[in-house]
């Protein structure tokens, strides 16, 4: 079965610092990749997604992620974080095995705390 | 668009009672809905996948007789926790996907339901 690893459990940054959250997955086939964010007290929201094409994808709120197939990685980045980025971030993988492939496997999440 | 609601947002019940949680897709038809459980400081664990009009598919280790899932329409799925016990206390989250969107794994999440069993 596939698994998703997020390397950092809790990241603490000052405002304007750059962010990179690691995500690695184990699955030999083609995958669809997602980053979700969960702000305090709110539900999961999609930040960005990768299906195919340009491996550098841009999402909402200035986030981007790069798919590196050879490294089985999909790291999330933001050049300058804001206090409002304080949230929990989840990487998720969907095996792209054709029609009817719906399920997501989530990483354990990374809590980001941004200090004003 | 793609809004998913859950009701109730929180519930407290006595041990031994049953609790029903509703998940609705408000502005699209969800052919597939998913139920997750989230423990504190942990990731979402998929409990089951339900397709409209058919029986839910449960993940290994999830008791189907305890967690009853009904996906009777394209906009509504329910999760009933039967004979709830304190160890069932958790945050339950549903998500929904359309026939086109969810085929690529894109899911839209509800706000979750906090269940506390006394």
């Amino acid at each position: 079965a596939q698994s998703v690893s997020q390397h950092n459990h809790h990241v603490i940054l000052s405002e304007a610092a750059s962010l990179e959250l690691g995500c690695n997955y184990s699955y030999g086939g083609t995958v669809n990749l997602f980053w979700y964010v969960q702000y305090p007290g709110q539900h999961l929201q999609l930040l960005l997604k990768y299906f195919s094409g340009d491996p550098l994808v841009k999402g909402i709120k200035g986030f981007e992620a790069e798919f590196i197939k050879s490294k089985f990685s999909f790291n999330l980045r933001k050049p300058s974080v804001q206090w409002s980025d304080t949230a929990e971030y989840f990487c998720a993988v969907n095996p792209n095995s054709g029609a009817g492939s719906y399920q997501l496997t989530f990483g354990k999440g990374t809590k980001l705390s941004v200090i004003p | 668009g793609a809004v998913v609601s859950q009701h109730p947002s929180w519930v407290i019940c006595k041990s031994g009672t049953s609790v029903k949680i509703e998940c609705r897709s408000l502005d699209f038809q969800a052919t597939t809905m998913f139920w997750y459980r989230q423990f504190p400081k942990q990731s979402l664990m998929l409990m089951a996948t339900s397709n409209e009009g058919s029986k839910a598919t449960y993940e290994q280790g999830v008791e189907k007789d305890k967690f009853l899932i009904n996906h009777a329409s394209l906009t509504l799925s329910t999760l009933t926790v039967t004979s709830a016990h304190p160890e069932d206390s958790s945050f339950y989250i549903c998500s929904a996907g359309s026939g086109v969107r969810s085929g690529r794994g894109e899911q839209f999440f509800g706000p979750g339901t906090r269940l506390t069993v006394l």
Side-chain angles (χ1 to χ4, degrees), chain B residues 4 23 39 50 73 95 101:
Chain B
V4 177
C23 176
F39 294 97
S50 73
S73 76
S95 70
R101 288 171 165 174

Side-chain angles (χ1 to χ4, degrees), chain A residues 1-12:
Chain A
Q2 63 267 26
S3 64
V4 179
S5 299
Q6 290 182 242
H7 314 299
N8 309 101
H9 177 64
H10 190 186
V11 173
I12 302 172

Side-chain angles (χ1 to χ4, degrees), chain A residues 34 36 43 49 51 102 106-107, chain B residues 43 102-104 106-107 110-111:
Chain A
F34 304 82
Y36 283 88
H43 61 279
K49 59 192 176 188
F51 293 157
Y102 305 133
F106 283 86
Chain B
S43 185
S102 66
R104 285 186 157 184
E106 185 168 0
Q107 300 174 20

Side-chain angles (χ1 to χ4, degrees), chain A residues 71-83:
Chain A
K71 295 184 177 180
F72 297 88
S73 70
F74 190 56
N75 292 354
L76 180 71
R77 300 194 292 247
K78 185 171 184 178
S80 176
V81 296
Q82 301 172 325
W83 176 79

Side-chain angles (χ1 to χ4, degrees), chain B residues 105-117:
Chain B
E106 185 168 0
Q107 300 174 20
F108 302 93
F109 288 82
T113 297
R114 173 75 60 193
L115 171 63
T116 301
V117 185

Side-chain angles (χ1 to χ4, degrees), chain B residues 18-37:
Chain B
S18 295
V19 174
K20 180 185 283 188
I21 302 170
E22 292 186 349
C23 176
R24 294 181 184 272
S25 57
L26 298 184
D27 51 1
F28 68 103
Q29 293 185 328
T31 53
T32 305
M33 287 185 167
F34 305 86
W35 287 95
Y36 295 87
R37 189 171 175 176

Side-chain angles (χ1 to χ4, degrees), chain B residues 72-90:
Chain B
S73 76
L74 287 171
T75 59
L76 173 65
S77 176
T78 60
L79 167 68
T80 301
V81 183
T82 62
S83 188
H85 290 285
E87 58 266 28
D88 299 323
S89 299
S90 193

Side-chain angles (χ1 to χ4, degrees), chain A residues 88-108:
Chain A
E88 187 132 21
Y89 294 80
F90 293 93
C91 180
V93 173
N94 162 249
N96 186 2
S97 57
S101 174
Y102 305 133
Q103 291 189 2
L104 289 173
T105 299
F106 283 86
K108 291 189 174 182

